[in-house]
Amino acid sequence: MKNQYAIAARGLSKHFGELKAVSELDLNVPKGEIYGFLGPNGSGKSTTIRMLCGLLTPTTGSADVLGTTIPGDAKNLKPRIGYMTQKFSLFGDLTVQENLKFIAEIYSYRRSDRSRRIDELLQRYDLVEQRKQFAGTMSGGQKQRLALACAVLHHPDLLLLDEPTSAVDPQSRRDFWANLFRLAESGTTIMVSTHYMDEAERCHRLAILDRGVKVADGTPQELQANTGMNVIEVVAKNPYAAQAALDEVAEIVSVTQLGVRLRVLIPDRHADPVDRVSAALDSRGVSASANIASPSLEDVFVAVTVKPEARQ
């Protein structure tokens, strides 16, 4: 079973004094897939990635990463991993080509193949015209492509990406994900942390973290099918009045406004959710329609991160 996973973690925890950044985390990341980490800032995504690549020592627990035990001999693991942070970690006073040459030197890439490999990456990530441009003068999207080229230069088996699209425009994000799919198709396992719902939906599997705890794990489709919530979509001319009316209903755990629409979550143990919503709106004289809707990944996120007392 272990051989089918690039990462298999059990009870992985990291404490900083009284702060429990990650608590008892179990993970199974299949080889050759894109595995997403979804969660707000401070949920433990970056801390987990740093433990998995050997930059942080776990307080408790362990992980098997590409057949290497963490904590353990991380030195042998690092040449097989590519790591890209949200700040891209480029050398601004070096040109694009010099950044790639420096990374090749760090990984002791074969000298006879370095020029060919760098030319290949410049072509693949559309950086040929920027070959002699200083990295510090590049746009966010260009820096992102260069950072990815640096991370994969040595053909890593595992690519760890820590919120790599947080500082780029939507087109750059789309192009970046197209490159990730090509890497996954070629056999590279990718773990990517994000707080964008549309990106999480592109992952083969994902885990949702909340305050250092994994609260959900599965394919996007599995998570959407098992929210434990009825999702009611309300369309109202006055969404503010509609939300005020629904905020008074004890069974409702969340109301999210999307333009003139509201997404209402009610635990599925409550019968007749549409009738409950409609009655609350009618009692306040709010004109609106209410219908059952299919859960989105954002609904899943709200459902699994809602406070325990709200669930009860």
Side-chain angles (χ1 to χ4, degrees):
M1 290 292 289
K2 185 183 294 186
N3 289 337
Q4 66 180 306
Y5 298 119
I7 299 172
R10 295 294 177 268
L12 205 61
S13 300
K14 184 62 181 179
H15 304 164
F16 298 98
E18 296 297 317
L19 174 65
K20 296 182 178 180
V22 178
S23 297
E24 300 294 324
L25 181 63
D26 293 342
L27 286 177
N28 288 318
V29 179
K31 292 180 178 178
E33 292 191 2
I34 301 177
Y35 190 95
F37 254 6
L38 177 63
N41 292 333
S43 61
K45 304 187 302 296
S46 296
T47 300
T48 300
I49 287 177
R50 289 169 186 163
M51 284 191 286
L52 293 174
C53 66
L55 292 178
L56 280 178
T57 301
T59 303
T60 60
S62 63
D64 181 285
V65 182
L66 300 177
T68 298
T69 300
I70 297 292
D73 193 6
K75 181 179 180 181
N76 291 331
L77 177 63
K78 289 178 181 178
R80 302 178 62 196
I81 288 180
Y83 181 39
M84 178 177 165
T85 70
Q86 58 184 308
K87 294 183 179 180
F88 302 147
S89 299
L90 300 172
F91 295 92
D93 56 349
L94 297 181
T95 66
V96 169
Q97 183 163 316
E98 288 170 342
N99 267 276
L100 290 167
K101 284 183 176 179
F102 182 69
I103 296 298
E105 186 71 31
I106 287 177
Y107 284 104
S108 300
Y109 200 85
R110 291 183 302 275
R111 290 186 178 275
S112 59
D113 294 335
R114 285 184 190 180
S115 294
R116 178 194 55 77
R117 177 60 173 160
I118 289 172
D119 287 343
E120 176 187 335
L121 292 169
L122 291 173
Q123 287 282 349
R124 180 175 302 171
Y125 296 112
D126 194 21
L127 292 168
V128 174
E129 293 183 3
Q130 289 77 34
R131 178 192 293 265
K132 296 184 179 180
Q133 183 175 344
F134 289 108
T137 68
M138 299 169 74
S139 69
Q142 291 169 340
K143 289 179 180 178
Q144 181 196 56
R145 297 200 302 276
L146 175 56
L148 181 59
C150 289
V152 302
L153 183 145
H154 58 298
H155 303 285
D157 298 312
L158 173 64
L159 185 59
L160 300 172
L161 308 173
D162 191 1
E163 299 202 9
T165 64
S166 60
V168 299
D169 61 88
Q171 181 62 52
S172 294
R173 286 174 60 203
R174 287 193 293 270
D175 294 343
F176 182 79
W177 273 89
N179 285 321
L180 294 191
F181 283 122
R182 281 193 284 270
L183 286 167
E185 288 170 3
S186 69
T188 304
T189 304
I190 300 172
M191 173 178 277
V192 54
S193 71
T194 183
H195 52 257
Y196 293 118
M197 298 296 167
D198 64 317
E199 290 192 346
E201 288 180 335
R202 302 183 190 198
C203 298
H204 297 110
R205 296 185 65 85
L206 68 144
I208 299 177
L209 299 186
D210 184 38
R211 293 181 287 272
V213 177
K214 186 180 74 173
V215 292
D217 186 3
T219 67
Q221 295 76 19
E222 289 170 348
L223 295 177
Q224 287 169 287
N226 296 283
T227 60
M229 297 282 174
N230 289 300
V231 181
I232 314 301
E233 185 168 271
V234 174
V235 179
K237 292 182 178 179
N238 189 340
Y240 303 107
Q243 182 160 359
L246 296 173
D247 283 341
E248 297 179 357
V249 181
E251 298 90 342
I252 293 176
V253 299
S254 172
V255 180
T256 303
Q257 183 175 348
L258 302 171
V260 298
R261 297 179 294 118
L262 301 175
R263 302 283 288 191
V264 182
L265 301 187
I266 300 178
D268 54 17
R269 66 177 179 274
H270 296 294
D272 304 317
V274 173
D275 292 342
R276 291 171 187 266
V277 169
S278 296
L281 295 169
D282 291 342
S283 69
R284 295 286 293 270
V286 178
S287 176
S289 63
N291 296 283
I292 289 285
S294 298
S296 66
L297 197 54
E298 185 167 349
D299 295 323
V300 174
F301 180 79
V302 172
V304 299
T305 59
V306 69
K307 293 180 179 179
E309 56 267 27
R311 280 183 171 274
Q312 298 302 318

